[in-house]
Amino acid sequence: MLKVILATGSPGIDKQIKLSEKCTIVDNVGDLSELLDLLNYVTVDSLVVNRLLDDQEGVLLVKLAQAAKAKKINVVVLTDKIDSYEERQLISSLANLSVFVFKTFDNLSGKLIEESIFNYPERFDFSILAETIVKEKAVPVIEERIVESIVNFHNKVITVIGNSELTAELSAVAAIHCKRNVCVIDIDFLDSALDSRLGFEGKHNGDQKFDSQRHILDNAGTIRLDKDSFERYCLQLRGVPAHVFYITYRHDNYKMFSGSRIDKLIDFTYRNYDLTFVNVNGSALDKLTIVAINCSDYAIISIRGDRISRRQGENYALYMQESCGVSRDKLRYLVFEYDESTDAPKGYFKANIPGELFLGYISRNEKRIRRRNSKVPFALKIRGKYLDEYLGILLMLGISGKRGARERFKEKKNLFFRLLKFKTRKLYRRVKWVKS
């Protein structure tokens, strides 16, 4: 017979989860502080705790989980559906403290709770996140980072090598069309032009901003850096859930920052954002590039649409594997600015790059070329088939999204008016010719 303490704060819930004689109810409390004190005097096997008894941050729940872990007490948490980023972070913290069972109020029963108490799992149950957060079919989980930190299993770090334009466009599409909370880190210290690609060129605060960036890098991985203070030192894209940590260009900044713990900063953003995009220099000899790739889930090598570029990309990847210890499974190839009229056939790349390593194509776009000389970035204006190409690539990386109904309607409306304009001009020219 197992000893259990209930902390639901609700007679209705107690009635809903009424336990059988197999469990001895040692106490029933309605306050988490009282429960913390109670654990100093009694010995029990399990706690059944209502999440709603704590504040929004879940501070008391975390303390309770710490005390329960020290005494080897299993904890079952009753909760609403998890639909916010903060709630996902709380679940991650609790899971790291060996709280592995979370039950939502809509399917509570005594039998369900007893089953959890008597057969407490040995690891965290991802199904609650898969069903209530991702809102997709449950997928197999690769448990690479679970030992140190269980943050939402779909969180990812993606490094883009030597192509700030691709970094800007991928991150913007992920934030706007995949509804992800995005952080972009620029550690290409040789002036990557990412500021221009995202439309905030000239918006830095000179030396003051530079000192702030140094402060972030010096404090990455310490308790002095939290999400709010980090975002104060970032630039936010207007109307887009994306924050950009950008290194202001100075000729000596690489020497100054080359010893920074970039891995700590990437780990911080991994824990606080759905997606982190890291923009790095294309040099295989840049040690910060190597650190960033090793901290990433994927590293994207962008190549041009010709056979020489493919060969160069493969040789780069081979060097990174053999000389820098980069795993082949991290590397992905993408053909950037593909022009089917002049480049190699698409079948050439599919035949020469293994399928799981090849993400696809981003087509050449005249608007992108024109906007390189404009203050309005192309990254925030991607539409039509170009948007579909990016969404397809993000899907290959395990990030789903789609074009909204409003956007599709707008595209059809624009097409209608372009056709109408064309027909009107054609009719006008015909009438003019007849009159002449």
Side-chain angles (χ1 to χ4, degrees):
M1 187 174 292
L2 296 182
K3 296 179 180 179
V4 181
I5 293 180
L6 297 181
T8 67
S10 167
I13 294 177
D14 291 343
K15 190 174 180 180
Q16 192 175 354
I17 61 169
K18 186 176 181 181
L19 303 179
S20 69
E21 302 79 22
K22 296 178 183 178
C23 298
T24 299
I25 307 298
V26 174
D27 207 336
N28 192 332
V29 299
D31 185 271
L32 294 188
S33 297
E34 181 184 342
L35 177 56
L36 267 172
D37 293 336
L38 189 61
L39 290 183
N40 294 321
Y41 306 106
V42 300
T43 302
V44 294
D45 300 293
S46 297
L47 307 176
V48 179
V49 182
N50 185 350
R51 160 73 180 101
L52 301 182
L53 292 179
D54 204 352
D55 59 14
Q56 187 173 357
E57 288 74 27
V59 175
L60 283 174
L61 263 177
V62 171
K63 290 181 179 178
L64 186 65
Q66 290 170 337
K69 184 178 181 181
K71 292 177 174 289
K72 297 183 179 180
I73 300 172
N74 294 331
V75 181
V76 177
V77 177
L78 312 180
T79 181
D80 281 326
K81 285 191 174 183
I82 313 304
D83 55 4
S84 73
Y85 183 77
E86 288 72 20
E87 284 295 293
R88 285 179 269 169
Q89 278 196 305
L90 175 60
I91 284 189
S92 300
S93 300
L94 294 174
N96 278 326
L97 294 170
S98 300
V99 179
F100 296 151
V101 177
F102 298 83
K103 299 296 180 185
T104 53
F105 295 117
D106 56 0
N107 61 353
L108 283 182
S109 69
K111 184 178 179 181
L112 189 68
I113 298 300
E114 278 192 16
E115 186 178 311
S116 299
I117 291 172
F118 282 97
N119 301 295
Y120 201 80
E122 295 181 357
R123 59 181 60 193
F124 179 63
D125 178 9
F126 282 91
S127 63
I128 188 170
L129 292 180
E131 291 171 8
T132 63
I133 300 172
V134 183
K135 296 180 181 177
E136 297 171 347
K137 294 181 180 178
V139 294
V141 179
I142 301 173
E143 302 180 16
E144 293 178 348
R145 302 184 187 223
I146 294 173
V147 175
E148 291 186 7
S149 177
I150 306 178
V151 186
N152 319 324
F153 61 86
H154 65 286
N155 282 20
K156 289 182 175 65
V157 177
I158 298 167
T159 292
V160 181
I161 301 168
N163 190 337
S164 61
E165 210 158 32
L166 177 59
T167 304
E169 293 174 16
L170 261 180
S171 56
V173 171
I176 298 169
H177 299 280
C178 300
K179 309 301 181 186
R180 303 297 184 187
N181 194 10
V182 170
C183 180
V184 183
I185 301 174
D186 183 24
I187 53 172
D188 182 348
F189 294 99
L190 301 177
D191 193 8
S192 71
L194 185 68
D195 57 342
S196 176
R197 309 303 187 199
L198 287 172
F200 53 82
E201 185 178 7
K203 294 183 181 179
H204 318 117
N205 296 324
D207 288 340
Q208 181 183 356
K209 191 73 181 178
F210 188 78
D211 292 337
S212 301
Q213 293 156 354
R214 184 162 51 190
H215 169 79
I216 289 292
L217 291 172
D218 289 345
N219 289 284
T222 71
I223 60 174
R224 286 174 289 182
L225 182 63
D226 57 31
K227 189 180 179 186
D228 289 338
S229 61
F230 174 72
E231 289 182 350
R232 283 199 296 271
Y233 297 129
C234 292
L235 292 164
Q236 182 174 12
L237 301 187
R238 183 164 43 177
V240 179
H243 289 82
V244 184
F245 181 70
Y246 176 79
I247 301 295
T248 308
Y249 174 70
R250 282 188 0 184
H251 71 278
D252 60 346
N253 54 9
Y254 181 80
K255 183 179 179 181
M256 182 173 293
F257 287 126
S258 59
S260 302
R261 293 300 306 271
I262 294 297
D263 55 334
K264 294 292 185 182
L265 179 60
I266 292 173
D267 183 65
F268 170 81
T269 58
Y270 169 78
R271 288 183 281 107
N272 286 278
Y273 295 88
D274 295 330
L275 294 171
T276 298
F277 290 91
V278 187
N279 187 66
V280 299
N281 192 279
S283 172
L285 301 177
D286 184 340
K287 67 179 183 179
L288 293 177
T289 294
I290 298 166
V291 171
I293 293 175
N294 280 319
C295 290
S296 302
D297 294 284
Y298 302 106
I300 299 176
I301 302 171
S302 65
I303 59 178
R304 298 293 178 183
D306 58 82
R307 61 183 185 82
I308 301 300
S309 295
R310 181 195 64 80
R311 188 188 72 189
Q312 290 171 337
E314 287 186 344
N315 288 337
Y316 180 95
L318 187 63
Y319 178 86
M320 297 301 282
Q321 292 171 54
E322 295 183 352
S323 301
C324 307
V326 172
S327 170
R328 178 177 180 271
D329 294 335
K330 288 179 180 286
L331 301 175
R332 296 292 185 271
Y333 297 89
L334 180 150
V335 179
F336 188 69
E337 291 204 307
Y338 178 77
D339 187 340
E340 61 182 9
S341 65
T342 57
D343 288 336
K346 288 186 175 181
Y348 170 80
F349 297 98
K350 292 179 180 178
N352 287 279
I353 300 176
E356 71 276 10
L357 303 182
F358 185 54
L359 293 176
Y361 310 85
I362 297 298
S363 298
R364 184 176 185 274
N365 190 318
E366 294 294 334
K367 287 184 179 179
R368 177 190 291 118
I369 296 168
R370 288 197 298 272
R371 291 202 173 178
R372 286 171 183 161
N373 296 309
S374 166
K375 291 186 177 181
V376 180
F378 178 74
L380 302 181
K381 301 291 182 179
I382 300 174
R383 301 288 185 269
K385 78 165 189 174
Y386 306 103
L387 175 58
D388 289 335
E389 288 175 347
Y390 272 110
L391 291 175
I393 285 165
L394 288 167
L395 188 61
M396 291 277 287
L397 297 171
I399 307 158
S400 61
K402 60 183 180 180
R403 282 196 282 166
R406 178 182 293 181
E407 188 170 59
R408 291 195 301 270
F409 172 75
K410 190 175 180 180
E411 286 178 7
K412 288 181 180 178
K413 185 178 73 172
N414 289 342
L415 179 61
F416 169 76
F417 282 113
R418 283 201 302 270
L419 288 172
L420 183 61
K421 190 175 181 180
F422 173 75
K423 293 284 187 183
T424 305
R425 280 182 178 175
K426 194 173 180 181
L427 181 62
Y428 172 76
R429 287 171 183 168
R430 184 176 294 177
V431 170
K432 190 176 180 182
W433 181 80
V434 169
K435 286 183 177 180
S436 64

